mmCIF file of all heavy atoms in Angstrom:
data_model
loop_
_atom_site.group_PDB
_atom_site.id
_atom_site.type_symbol
_atom_site.label_atom_id
_atom_site.label_comp_id
_atom_site.label_asym_id
_atom_site.label_seq_id
_atom_site.Cartn_x
_atom_site.Cartn_y
_atom_site.Cartn_z
ATOM 1 N N MET A 29 -13.829 -10.200 -12.487
ATOM 2 C CA MET A 29 -12.442 -9.891 -12.687
ATOM 3 C C MET A 29 -11.946 -8.881 -11.606
ATOM 4 O O MET A 29 -12.655 -7.942 -11.278
ATOM 5 C CB MET A 29 -12.163 -9.277 -14.064
ATOM 6 C CG MET A 29 -12.407 -10.301 -15.150
ATOM 7 S SD MET A 29 -11.217 -11.683 -15.100
ATOM 8 C CE MET A 29 -11.442 -12.316 -16.747
ATOM 9 N N THR A 30 -10.779 -9.082 -11.141
ATOM 10 C CA THR A 30 -10.221 -8.121 -10.143
ATOM 11 C C THR A 30 -8.811 -7.761 -10.569
ATOM 12 O O THR A 30 -8.156 -8.466 -11.323
ATOM 13 C CB THR A 30 -10.186 -8.732 -8.733
ATOM 14 O OG1 THR A 30 -9.160 -9.717 -8.693
ATOM 15 C CG2 THR A 30 -11.514 -9.379 -8.402
ATOM 16 N N ASP A 31 -8.316 -6.646 -10.016
ATOM 17 C CA ASP A 31 -6.952 -6.243 -10.273
ATOM 18 C C ASP A 31 -6.057 -6.619 -9.137
ATOM 19 O O ASP A 31 -4.865 -6.280 -9.123
ATOM 20 C CB ASP A 31 -6.880 -4.709 -10.483
ATOM 21 C CG ASP A 31 -7.555 -4.336 -11.800
ATOM 22 O OD1 ASP A 31 -7.598 -5.198 -12.694
ATOM 23 O OD2 ASP A 31 -7.999 -3.216 -11.915
ATOM 24 N N GLN A 32 -6.592 -7.397 -8.196
ATOM 25 C CA GLN A 32 -5.779 -7.765 -7.069
ATOM 26 C C GLN A 32 -4.710 -8.784 -7.495
ATOM 27 O O GLN A 32 -4.976 -9.652 -8.286
ATOM 28 C CB GLN A 32 -6.663 -8.392 -5.990
ATOM 29 C CG GLN A 32 -7.607 -7.356 -5.373
ATOM 30 C CD GLN A 32 -8.422 -7.994 -4.258
ATOM 31 O OE1 GLN A 32 -8.420 -9.186 -4.095
ATOM 32 N NE2 GLN A 32 -9.129 -7.146 -3.510
ATOM 33 N N PRO A 33 -3.523 -8.615 -6.963
ATOM 34 C CA PRO A 33 -2.429 -9.586 -7.265
ATOM 35 C C PRO A 33 -2.766 -10.927 -6.642
ATOM 36 O O PRO A 33 -3.475 -11.013 -5.629
ATOM 37 C CB PRO A 33 -1.222 -8.970 -6.591
ATOM 38 C CG PRO A 33 -1.750 -8.074 -5.484
ATOM 39 C CD PRO A 33 -3.104 -7.561 -6.010
ATOM 40 N N ALA A 34 -2.255 -11.951 -7.276
ATOM 41 C CA ALA A 34 -2.464 -13.308 -6.706
ATOM 42 C C ALA A 34 -1.776 -13.447 -5.360
ATOM 43 O O ALA A 34 -0.731 -12.868 -5.132
ATOM 44 C CB ALA A 34 -1.912 -14.348 -7.678
ATOM 45 N N ALA A 35 -2.386 -14.177 -4.504
ATOM 46 C CA ALA A 35 -1.784 -14.378 -3.182
ATOM 47 C C ALA A 35 -0.730 -15.488 -3.274
ATOM 48 O O ALA A 35 -0.934 -16.504 -3.923
ATOM 49 C CB ALA A 35 -2.875 -14.765 -2.184
ATOM 50 N N CYS A 36 0.361 -15.253 -2.604
ATOM 51 C CA CYS A 36 1.394 -16.265 -2.546
ATOM 52 C C CYS A 36 0.866 -17.532 -1.908
ATOM 53 O O CYS A 36 0.305 -17.500 -0.808
ATOM 54 C CB CYS A 36 2.595 -15.722 -1.714
ATOM 55 S SG CYS A 36 3.870 -16.932 -1.390
ATOM 56 N N PRO A 37 1.010 -18.674 -2.578
ATOM 57 C CA PRO A 37 0.460 -19.949 -2.029
ATOM 58 C C PRO A 37 1.252 -20.436 -0.809
ATOM 59 O O PRO A 37 0.754 -21.291 -0.110
ATOM 60 C CB PRO A 37 0.645 -20.943 -3.190
ATOM 61 C CG PRO A 37 1.721 -20.344 -4.067
ATOM 62 C CD PRO A 37 1.637 -18.837 -3.865
ATOM 63 N N ILE A 38 2.352 -19.861 -0.529
ATOM 64 C CA ILE A 38 3.133 -20.270 0.616
ATOM 65 C C ILE A 38 2.784 -19.462 1.859
ATOM 66 O O ILE A 38 2.494 -20.014 2.924
ATOM 67 C CB ILE A 38 4.659 -20.117 0.342
ATOM 68 C CG1 ILE A 38 5.036 -20.909 -0.881
ATOM 69 C CG2 ILE A 38 5.473 -20.515 1.550
ATOM 70 C CD1 ILE A 38 4.750 -22.396 -0.759
ATOM 71 N N CYS A 39 2.819 -18.143 1.760
ATOM 72 C CA CYS A 39 2.620 -17.345 2.943
ATOM 73 C C CYS A 39 1.344 -16.509 2.899
ATOM 74 O O CYS A 39 0.915 -15.943 3.878
ATOM 75 C CB CYS A 39 3.815 -16.432 3.202
ATOM 76 S SG CYS A 39 4.011 -15.157 1.971
ATOM 77 N N GLY A 40 0.735 -16.403 1.712
ATOM 78 C CA GLY A 40 -0.514 -15.675 1.567
ATOM 79 C C GLY A 40 -0.358 -14.196 1.287
ATOM 80 O O GLY A 40 -1.345 -13.513 1.071
ATOM 81 N N ASN A 41 0.889 -13.698 1.241
ATOM 82 C CA ASN A 41 1.077 -12.300 0.930
ATOM 83 C C ASN A 41 0.862 -12.100 -0.576
ATOM 84 O O ASN A 41 1.000 -13.038 -1.366
ATOM 85 C CB ASN A 41 2.515 -11.902 1.283
ATOM 86 C CG ASN A 41 2.700 -11.764 2.777
ATOM 87 O OD1 ASN A 41 1.750 -11.443 3.474
ATOM 88 N ND2 ASN A 41 3.908 -12.011 3.232
ATOM 89 N N PRO A 42 0.516 -10.877 -0.958
ATOM 90 C CA PRO A 42 0.324 -10.585 -2.380
ATOM 91 C C PRO A 42 1.592 -10.842 -3.175
ATOM 92 O O PRO A 42 2.670 -10.409 -2.755
ATOM 93 C CB PRO A 42 -0.039 -9.105 -2.393
ATOM 94 C CG PRO A 42 -0.490 -8.791 -1.028
ATOM 95 C CD PRO A 42 0.243 -9.722 -0.110
ATOM 96 N N ALA A 43 1.461 -11.547 -4.290
ATOM 97 C CA ALA A 43 2.627 -11.815 -5.125
ATOM 98 C C ALA A 43 2.868 -10.656 -6.049
ATOM 99 O O ALA A 43 2.382 -10.633 -7.182
ATOM 100 C CB ALA A 43 2.407 -13.143 -5.883
ATOM 101 N N LEU A 44 3.556 -9.691 -5.594
ATOM 102 C CA LEU A 44 3.753 -8.435 -6.327
ATOM 103 C C LEU A 44 4.905 -8.505 -7.320
ATOM 104 O O LEU A 44 4.943 -7.733 -8.282
ATOM 105 C CB LEU A 44 3.964 -7.301 -5.348
ATOM 106 C CG LEU A 44 2.833 -7.052 -4.380
ATOM 107 C CD1 LEU A 44 3.217 -5.968 -3.384
ATOM 108 C CD2 LEU A 44 1.553 -6.656 -5.128
ATOM 109 N N GLU A 45 5.866 -9.374 -7.109
ATOM 110 C CA GLU A 45 7.037 -9.417 -7.952
ATOM 111 C C GLU A 45 6.844 -10.398 -9.094
ATOM 112 O O GLU A 45 6.793 -11.615 -8.881
ATOM 113 C CB GLU A 45 8.251 -9.832 -7.107
ATOM 114 C CG GLU A 45 8.456 -8.942 -5.897
ATOM 115 C CD GLU A 45 9.717 -8.135 -6.074
ATOM 116 O OE1 GLU A 45 10.271 -8.114 -7.177
ATOM 117 O OE2 GLU A 45 10.132 -7.507 -5.086
ATOM 118 N N PRO A 46 6.729 -9.875 -10.332
ATOM 119 C CA PRO A 46 6.489 -10.756 -11.499
ATOM 120 C C PRO A 46 7.498 -11.878 -11.620
ATOM 121 O O PRO A 46 7.196 -12.968 -12.028
ATOM 122 C CB PRO A 46 6.574 -9.804 -12.667
ATOM 123 C CG PRO A 46 6.264 -8.450 -12.088
ATOM 124 C CD PRO A 46 6.815 -8.493 -10.665
ATOM 125 N N LYS A 47 8.751 -11.558 -11.251
ATOM 126 C CA LYS A 47 9.808 -12.555 -11.442
ATOM 127 C C LYS A 47 9.688 -13.729 -10.469
ATOM 128 O O LYS A 47 10.302 -14.762 -10.668
ATOM 129 C CB LYS A 47 11.191 -11.911 -11.349
ATOM 130 C CG LYS A 47 11.574 -11.511 -9.943
ATOM 131 C CD LYS A 47 12.861 -10.659 -10.008
ATOM 132 C CE LYS A 47 13.887 -11.162 -9.029
ATOM 133 N NZ LYS A 47 15.130 -10.385 -9.095
ATOM 134 N N TYR A 48 8.878 -13.541 -9.415
ATOM 135 C CA TYR A 48 8.722 -14.623 -8.456
ATOM 136 C C TYR A 48 7.373 -15.289 -8.524
ATOM 137 O O TYR A 48 7.048 -16.179 -7.742
ATOM 138 C CB TYR A 48 8.951 -14.095 -7.020
ATOM 139 C CG TYR A 48 10.372 -13.691 -6.764
ATOM 140 C CD1 TYR A 48 10.666 -12.472 -6.170
ATOM 141 C CD2 TYR A 48 11.401 -14.553 -7.076
ATOM 142 C CE1 TYR A 48 11.953 -12.074 -5.935
ATOM 143 C CE2 TYR A 48 12.737 -14.176 -6.834
ATOM 144 C CZ TYR A 48 12.981 -12.937 -6.245
ATOM 145 O OH TYR A 48 14.254 -12.566 -6.005
ATOM 146 N N LYS A 49 6.527 -14.846 -9.462
ATOM 147 C CA LYS A 49 5.193 -15.402 -9.523
ATOM 148 C C LYS A 49 5.237 -16.917 -9.648
ATOM 149 O O LYS A 49 6.100 -17.457 -10.286
ATOM 150 C CB LYS A 49 4.483 -14.844 -10.773
ATOM 151 C CG LYS A 49 3.828 -13.490 -10.511
ATOM 152 C CD LYS A 49 3.023 -13.116 -11.746
ATOM 153 C CE LYS A 49 2.268 -11.804 -11.487
ATOM 154 N NZ LYS A 49 1.478 -11.402 -12.659
ATOM 155 N N PRO A 50 4.274 -17.609 -9.033
ATOM 156 C CA PRO A 50 3.120 -17.066 -8.279
ATOM 157 C C PRO A 50 3.448 -16.770 -6.823
ATOM 158 O O PRO A 50 2.583 -16.597 -6.027
ATOM 159 C CB PRO A 50 2.095 -18.170 -8.388
ATOM 160 C CG PRO A 50 2.932 -19.441 -8.376
ATOM 161 C CD PRO A 50 4.235 -19.060 -9.071
ATOM 162 N N PHE A 51 4.756 -16.735 -6.518
ATOM 163 C CA PHE A 51 5.143 -16.486 -5.122
ATOM 164 C C PHE A 51 5.451 -15.036 -4.903
ATOM 165 O O PHE A 51 5.670 -14.274 -5.852
ATOM 166 C CB PHE A 51 6.320 -17.394 -4.755
ATOM 167 C CG PHE A 51 6.112 -18.810 -5.159
ATOM 168 C CD1 PHE A 51 6.686 -19.331 -6.297
ATOM 169 C CD2 PHE A 51 5.284 -19.614 -4.403
ATOM 170 C CE1 PHE A 51 6.462 -20.634 -6.656
ATOM 171 C CE2 PHE A 51 5.049 -20.909 -4.760
ATOM 172 C CZ PHE A 51 5.639 -21.435 -5.897
ATOM 173 N N CYS A 52 5.552 -14.614 -3.632
ATOM 174 C CA CYS A 52 5.819 -13.217 -3.323
ATOM 175 C C CYS A 52 7.296 -12.932 -3.325
ATOM 176 O O CYS A 52 7.704 -11.789 -3.452
ATOM 177 C CB CYS A 52 5.167 -12.866 -1.962
ATOM 178 S SG CYS A 52 5.999 -13.629 -0.586
ATOM 179 N N CYS A 53 8.113 -13.961 -3.183
ATOM 180 C CA CYS A 53 9.516 -13.721 -3.068
ATOM 181 C C CYS A 53 10.300 -15.020 -3.377
ATOM 182 O O CYS A 53 9.702 -16.089 -3.427
ATOM 183 C CB CYS A 53 9.878 -13.193 -1.669
ATOM 184 S SG CYS A 53 9.478 -14.396 -0.373
ATOM 185 N N GLY A 54 11.597 -14.873 -3.541
ATOM 186 C CA GLY A 54 12.402 -16.041 -3.852
ATOM 187 C C GLY A 54 12.354 -17.065 -2.725
ATOM 188 O O GLY A 54 12.470 -18.271 -2.967
ATOM 189 N N ARG A 55 12.214 -16.607 -1.502
ATOM 190 C CA ARG A 55 12.198 -17.541 -0.393
ATOM 191 C C ARG A 55 10.995 -18.479 -0.473
ATOM 192 O O ARG A 55 11.114 -19.689 -0.265
ATOM 193 C CB ARG A 55 12.118 -16.720 0.921
ATOM 194 C CG ARG A 55 12.164 -17.586 2.185
ATOM 195 C CD ARG A 55 11.974 -16.720 3.382
ATOM 196 N NE ARG A 55 11.986 -17.536 4.600
ATOM 197 C CZ ARG A 55 13.078 -17.743 5.300
ATOM 198 N NH1 ARG A 55 14.208 -17.223 4.937
ATOM 199 N NH2 ARG A 55 13.007 -18.493 6.384
ATOM 200 N N CYS A 56 9.828 -17.942 -0.758
ATOM 201 C CA CYS A 56 8.630 -18.753 -0.893
ATOM 202 C C CYS A 56 8.700 -19.684 -2.073
ATOM 203 O O CYS A 56 8.291 -20.825 -1.997
ATOM 204 C CB CYS A 56 7.389 -17.836 -0.991
ATOM 205 S SG CYS A 56 6.961 -17.096 0.581
ATOM 206 N N ALA A 57 9.314 -19.202 -3.183
ATOM 207 C CA ALA A 57 9.524 -20.067 -4.326
ATOM 208 C C ALA A 57 10.410 -21.254 -3.931
ATOM 209 O O ALA A 57 10.205 -22.393 -4.336
ATOM 210 C CB ALA A 57 10.106 -19.288 -5.479
ATOM 211 N N ASP A 58 11.408 -20.966 -3.128
ATOM 212 C CA ASP A 58 12.320 -21.996 -2.685
ATOM 213 C C ASP A 58 11.578 -23.001 -1.782
ATOM 214 O O ASP A 58 11.795 -24.208 -1.835
ATOM 215 C CB ASP A 58 13.470 -21.361 -1.927
ATOM 216 C CG ASP A 58 14.683 -22.263 -1.889
ATOM 217 O OD1 ASP A 58 15.015 -22.828 -2.936
ATOM 218 O OD2 ASP A 58 15.311 -22.370 -0.853
ATOM 219 N N VAL A 59 10.743 -22.494 -0.936
ATOM 220 C CA VAL A 59 9.957 -23.369 -0.031
ATOM 221 C C VAL A 59 9.121 -24.334 -0.852
ATOM 222 O O VAL A 59 9.055 -25.521 -0.591
ATOM 223 C CB VAL A 59 9.037 -22.537 0.888
ATOM 224 C CG1 VAL A 59 8.046 -23.437 1.599
ATOM 225 C CG2 VAL A 59 9.895 -21.789 1.899
ATOM 226 N N ASP A 60 8.503 -23.820 -1.905
ATOM 227 C CA ASP A 60 7.669 -24.665 -2.756
ATOM 228 C C ASP A 60 8.503 -25.720 -3.437
ATOM 229 O O ASP A 60 8.083 -26.877 -3.548
ATOM 230 C CB ASP A 60 6.939 -23.781 -3.771
ATOM 231 C CG ASP A 60 5.902 -24.599 -4.564
ATOM 232 O OD1 ASP A 60 4.883 -24.941 -3.976
ATOM 233 O OD2 ASP A 60 6.141 -24.873 -5.735
ATOM 234 N N LEU A 61 9.681 -25.305 -3.907
ATOM 235 C CA LEU A 61 10.561 -26.247 -4.575
ATOM 236 C C LEU A 61 10.932 -27.392 -3.636
ATOM 237 O O LEU A 61 10.899 -28.571 -4.028
ATOM 238 C CB LEU A 61 11.816 -25.506 -5.060
ATOM 239 C CG LEU A 61 12.869 -26.421 -5.734
ATOM 240 C CD1 LEU A 61 12.310 -27.035 -7.002
ATOM 241 C CD2 LEU A 61 14.123 -25.621 -6.056
ATOM 242 N N HIS A 62 11.256 -27.036 -2.435
ATOM 243 C CA HIS A 62 11.639 -28.087 -1.471
ATOM 244 C C HIS A 62 10.463 -29.002 -1.171
ATOM 245 O O HIS A 62 10.637 -30.198 -0.911
ATOM 246 C CB HIS A 62 12.145 -27.423 -0.190
ATOM 247 C CG HIS A 62 13.569 -26.997 -0.309
ATOM 248 N ND1 HIS A 62 14.627 -27.863 -0.233
ATOM 249 C CD2 HIS A 62 14.119 -25.789 -0.502
ATOM 250 C CE1 HIS A 62 15.761 -27.195 -0.367
ATOM 251 N NE2 HIS A 62 15.480 -25.891 -0.577
ATOM 252 N N ARG A 63 9.269 -28.457 -1.179
ATOM 253 C CA ARG A 63 8.081 -29.327 -0.958
ATOM 254 C C ARG A 63 7.965 -30.343 -2.067
ATOM 255 O O ARG A 63 7.696 -31.532 -1.807
ATOM 256 C CB ARG A 63 6.847 -28.457 -0.919
ATOM 257 C CG ARG A 63 6.730 -27.682 0.387
ATOM 258 C CD ARG A 63 5.389 -27.045 0.474
ATOM 259 N NE ARG A 63 5.264 -26.258 1.707
ATOM 260 C CZ ARG A 63 4.156 -25.645 2.104
ATOM 261 N NH1 ARG A 63 3.101 -25.638 1.338
ATOM 262 N NH2 ARG A 63 4.131 -24.961 3.171
ATOM 263 N N TRP A 64 8.232 -29.905 -3.270
ATOM 264 C CA TRP A 64 8.174 -30.840 -4.388
ATOM 265 C C TRP A 64 9.257 -31.901 -4.213
ATOM 266 O O TRP A 64 9.015 -33.083 -4.362
ATOM 267 C CB TRP A 64 8.432 -30.083 -5.700
ATOM 268 C CG TRP A 64 7.162 -29.539 -6.257
ATOM 269 C CD1 TRP A 64 6.692 -28.252 -6.140
ATOM 270 C CD2 TRP A 64 6.195 -30.235 -7.073
ATOM 271 N NE1 TRP A 64 5.493 -28.158 -6.822
ATOM 272 C CE2 TRP A 64 5.175 -29.312 -7.405
ATOM 273 C CE3 TRP A 64 6.106 -31.549 -7.565
ATOM 274 C CZ2 TRP A 64 4.073 -29.679 -8.174
ATOM 275 C CZ3 TRP A 64 5.016 -31.892 -8.327
ATOM 276 C CH2 TRP A 64 4.024 -30.976 -8.592
ATOM 277 N N LEU A 65 10.444 -31.430 -3.911
ATOM 278 C CA LEU A 65 11.583 -32.369 -3.795
ATOM 279 C C LEU A 65 11.399 -33.356 -2.683
ATOM 280 O O LEU A 65 11.866 -34.476 -2.733
ATOM 281 C CB LEU A 65 12.876 -31.578 -3.628
ATOM 282 C CG LEU A 65 13.237 -30.741 -4.851
ATOM 283 C CD1 LEU A 65 14.540 -29.960 -4.515
ATOM 284 C CD2 LEU A 65 13.456 -31.598 -6.080
ATOM 285 N N SER A 66 10.699 -32.935 -1.608
ATOM 286 C CA SER A 66 10.543 -33.836 -0.489
ATOM 287 C C SER A 66 9.314 -34.727 -0.617
ATOM 288 O O SER A 66 8.991 -35.510 0.270
ATOM 289 C CB SER A 66 10.470 -33.020 0.834
ATOM 290 O OG SER A 66 9.422 -32.113 0.768
ATOM 291 N N GLY A 67 8.564 -34.553 -1.728
ATOM 292 C CA GLY A 67 7.514 -35.500 -2.009
ATOM 293 C C GLY A 67 6.159 -35.140 -1.420
ATOM 294 O O GLY A 67 5.294 -35.969 -1.354
ATOM 295 N N VAL A 68 6.001 -33.887 -1.004
ATOM 296 C CA VAL A 68 4.739 -33.469 -0.412
ATOM 297 C C VAL A 68 3.613 -33.592 -1.455
ATOM 298 O O VAL A 68 2.519 -33.986 -1.115
ATOM 299 C CB VAL A 68 4.811 -32.030 0.096
ATOM 300 C CG1 VAL A 68 3.436 -31.535 0.497
ATOM 301 C CG2 VAL A 68 5.753 -31.962 1.293
ATOM 302 N N TYR A 69 3.978 -33.337 -2.692
ATOM 303 C CA TYR A 69 2.974 -33.339 -3.736
ATOM 304 C C TYR A 69 2.936 -34.659 -4.519
ATOM 305 O O TYR A 69 2.437 -34.774 -5.580
ATOM 306 C CB TYR A 69 3.199 -32.199 -4.736
ATOM 307 C CG TYR A 69 3.087 -30.871 -4.132
ATOM 308 C CD1 TYR A 69 3.910 -29.809 -4.495
ATOM 309 C CD2 TYR A 69 2.115 -30.629 -3.143
ATOM 310 C CE1 TYR A 69 3.780 -28.558 -3.937
ATOM 311 C CE2 TYR A 69 2.001 -29.351 -2.580
ATOM 312 C CZ TYR A 69 2.817 -28.361 -2.971
ATOM 313 O OH TYR A 69 2.715 -27.129 -2.407
ATOM 314 N N LYS A 70 3.524 -35.639 -3.886
ATOM 315 C CA LYS A 70 3.613 -36.952 -4.547
ATOM 316 C C LYS A 70 2.268 -37.471 -4.962
ATOM 317 O O LYS A 70 1.307 -37.434 -4.196
ATOM 318 C CB LYS A 70 4.278 -37.974 -3.616
ATOM 319 C CG LYS A 70 5.299 -38.847 -4.337
ATOM 320 C CD LYS A 70 5.830 -39.909 -3.370
ATOM 321 C CE LYS A 70 6.800 -39.317 -2.382
ATOM 322 N NZ LYS A 70 7.368 -40.319 -1.493
ATOM 323 N N VAL A 71 2.169 -38.004 -6.183
ATOM 324 C CA VAL A 71 0.915 -38.576 -6.629
ATOM 325 C C VAL A 71 1.206 -39.865 -7.359
ATOM 326 O O VAL A 71 2.256 -40.038 -7.948
ATOM 327 C CB VAL A 71 0.174 -37.621 -7.553
ATOM 328 C CG1 VAL A 71 -0.350 -36.420 -6.785
ATOM 329 C CG2 VAL A 71 1.023 -37.198 -8.746
ATOM 330 N N GLU A 72 0.252 -40.761 -7.320
ATOM 331 C CA GLU A 72 0.371 -42.006 -8.041
ATOM 332 C C GLU A 72 1.668 -42.731 -7.721
ATOM 333 O O GLU A 72 2.511 -42.954 -8.562
ATOM 334 C CB GLU A 72 0.251 -41.773 -9.539
ATOM 335 C CG GLU A 72 -1.146 -41.303 -9.926
ATOM 336 C CD GLU A 72 -1.274 -41.204 -11.460
ATOM 337 O OE1 GLU A 72 -0.732 -42.134 -12.139
ATOM 338 O OE2 GLU A 72 -1.852 -40.246 -11.922
ATOM 339 N N THR A 73 1.821 -43.121 -6.488
ATOM 340 C CA THR A 73 2.976 -43.866 -6.105
ATOM 341 C C THR A 73 2.585 -45.007 -5.183
ATOM 342 O O THR A 73 1.672 -44.883 -4.382
ATOM 343 C CB THR A 73 4.002 -42.986 -5.374
ATOM 344 O OG1 THR A 73 5.114 -43.780 -4.995
ATOM 345 C CG2 THR A 73 3.428 -42.324 -4.125
ATOM 346 N N ASP A 74 3.271 -46.109 -5.362
ATOM 347 C CA ASP A 74 2.963 -47.265 -4.496
ATOM 348 C C ASP A 74 3.934 -47.367 -3.319
ATOM 349 O O ASP A 74 3.840 -48.269 -2.504
ATOM 350 C CB ASP A 74 3.067 -48.551 -5.348
ATOM 351 C CG ASP A 74 1.929 -48.611 -6.358
ATOM 352 O OD1 ASP A 74 0.796 -48.263 -6.028
ATOM 353 O OD2 ASP A 74 2.248 -49.002 -7.495
ATOM 354 N N GLU A 75 4.918 -46.457 -3.316
ATOM 355 C CA GLU A 75 5.901 -46.482 -2.267
ATOM 356 C C GLU A 75 5.290 -46.094 -0.933
ATOM 357 O O GLU A 75 4.521 -45.152 -0.845
ATOM 358 C CB GLU A 75 7.034 -45.535 -2.606
ATOM 359 C CG GLU A 75 7.883 -46.021 -3.782
ATOM 360 C CD GLU A 75 9.044 -45.075 -4.024
ATOM 361 O OE1 GLU A 75 9.774 -44.748 -3.051
ATOM 362 O OE2 GLU A 75 9.229 -44.693 -5.147
ATOM 363 N N VAL A 76 5.615 -46.860 0.104
ATOM 364 C CA VAL A 76 5.157 -46.517 1.463
ATOM 365 C C VAL A 76 6.321 -45.994 2.290
ATOM 366 O O VAL A 76 7.327 -46.669 2.396
ATOM 367 C CB VAL A 76 4.577 -47.775 2.135
ATOM 368 C CG1 VAL A 76 4.128 -47.451 3.556
ATOM 369 C CG2 VAL A 76 3.412 -48.362 1.317
ATOM 370 N N PRO A 77 6.145 -44.820 2.781
ATOM 371 C CA PRO A 77 7.252 -44.233 3.601
ATOM 372 C C PRO A 77 7.460 -44.986 4.887
ATOM 373 O O PRO A 77 6.525 -45.570 5.428
ATOM 374 C CB PRO A 77 6.750 -42.792 3.880
ATOM 375 C CG PRO A 77 5.280 -42.860 3.685
ATOM 376 C CD PRO A 77 5.018 -43.942 2.659
ATOM 377 N N ASP A 78 8.647 -45.001 5.367
ATOM 378 C CA ASP A 78 8.974 -45.699 6.622
ATOM 379 C C ASP A 78 8.364 -44.979 7.833
ATOM 380 O O ASP A 78 8.107 -45.604 8.858
ATOM 381 C CB ASP A 78 10.477 -45.785 6.831
ATOM 382 C CG ASP A 78 11.087 -46.711 5.771
ATOM 383 O OD1 ASP A 78 10.365 -47.607 5.291
ATOM 384 O OD2 ASP A 78 12.274 -46.545 5.453
ATOM 385 N N GLY A 79 8.137 -43.688 7.663
ATOM 386 C CA GLY A 79 7.525 -42.912 8.778
ATOM 387 C C GLY A 79 8.468 -42.882 9.978
ATOM 388 O O GLY A 79 8.025 -43.064 11.107
ATOM 389 N N GLU A 80 9.707 -42.643 9.725
ATOM 390 C CA GLU A 80 10.687 -42.660 10.853
ATOM 391 C C GLU A 80 10.380 -41.582 11.877
ATOM 392 O O GLU A 80 10.480 -41.794 13.083
ATOM 393 C CB GLU A 80 12.084 -42.468 10.295
ATOM 394 C CG GLU A 80 12.564 -43.662 9.537
ATOM 395 C CD GLU A 80 13.964 -43.439 8.988
ATOM 396 O OE1 GLU A 80 14.246 -42.310 8.538
ATOM 397 O OE2 GLU A 80 14.763 -44.366 8.971
ATOM 398 N N ASP A 81 9.995 -40.422 11.390
ATOM 399 C CA ASP A 81 9.706 -39.338 12.328
ATOM 400 C C ASP A 81 8.319 -38.815 12.102
ATOM 401 O O ASP A 81 8.081 -37.627 12.086
ATOM 402 C CB ASP A 81 10.738 -38.244 12.169
ATOM 403 C CG ASP A 81 10.932 -37.874 10.719
ATOM 404 O OD1 ASP A 81 11.588 -38.608 10.036
ATOM 405 O OD2 ASP A 81 10.420 -36.825 10.277
ATOM 406 N N ASP A 82 7.373 -39.695 11.900
ATOM 407 C CA ASP A 82 5.994 -39.265 11.689
ATOM 408 C C ASP A 82 5.038 -40.250 12.321
ATOM 409 O O ASP A 82 5.083 -41.445 12.072
ATOM 410 C CB ASP A 82 5.705 -39.184 10.189
ATOM 411 C CG ASP A 82 4.387 -38.459 9.949
ATOM 412 O OD1 ASP A 82 4.241 -37.319 10.411
ATOM 413 O OD2 ASP A 82 3.547 -39.089 9.321
ATOM 414 N N GLY A 83 4.163 -39.794 13.195
ATOM 415 C CA GLY A 83 3.179 -40.690 13.814
ATOM 416 C C GLY A 83 3.719 -41.449 14.996
ATOM 417 O O GLY A 83 3.004 -42.237 15.578
ATOM 418 N N ASN A 84 4.977 -41.244 15.351
ATOM 419 C CA ASN A 84 5.557 -41.950 16.446
ATOM 420 C C ASN A 84 6.273 -40.967 17.388
ATOM 421 O O ASN A 84 7.452 -40.671 17.221
ATOM 422 C CB ASN A 84 6.541 -42.953 15.961
ATOM 423 C CG ASN A 84 6.202 -44.382 16.389
ATOM 424 O OD1 ASN A 84 5.343 -44.535 17.280
ATOM 425 N ND2 ASN A 84 6.786 -45.372 15.815
ATOM 426 N N PRO A 85 5.561 -40.396 18.329
ATOM 427 C CA PRO A 85 6.159 -39.396 19.238
ATOM 428 C C PRO A 85 7.255 -39.958 20.087
ATOM 429 O O PRO A 85 7.253 -41.148 20.384
ATOM 430 C CB PRO A 85 4.989 -38.917 20.077
ATOM 431 C CG PRO A 85 3.894 -39.916 19.889
ATOM 432 C CD PRO A 85 4.184 -40.671 18.612
HETATM 433 ZN ZN1 LIG B 2 5.220 -15.682 0.097
#
């Protein structure tokens, strides 16, 4: 067991603010939210992205 604060999963800084846990600040919480909304954490889907701006320089 440690007393160290959890590290922010976005930027790695200590998540010192309880109201933003597990993030260090509202900005990082917002970043995580956008990741969810943009499908970064997508699971169990049969949809194939068009890849308009990915893999094609
Ligand atoms: Zn952060």
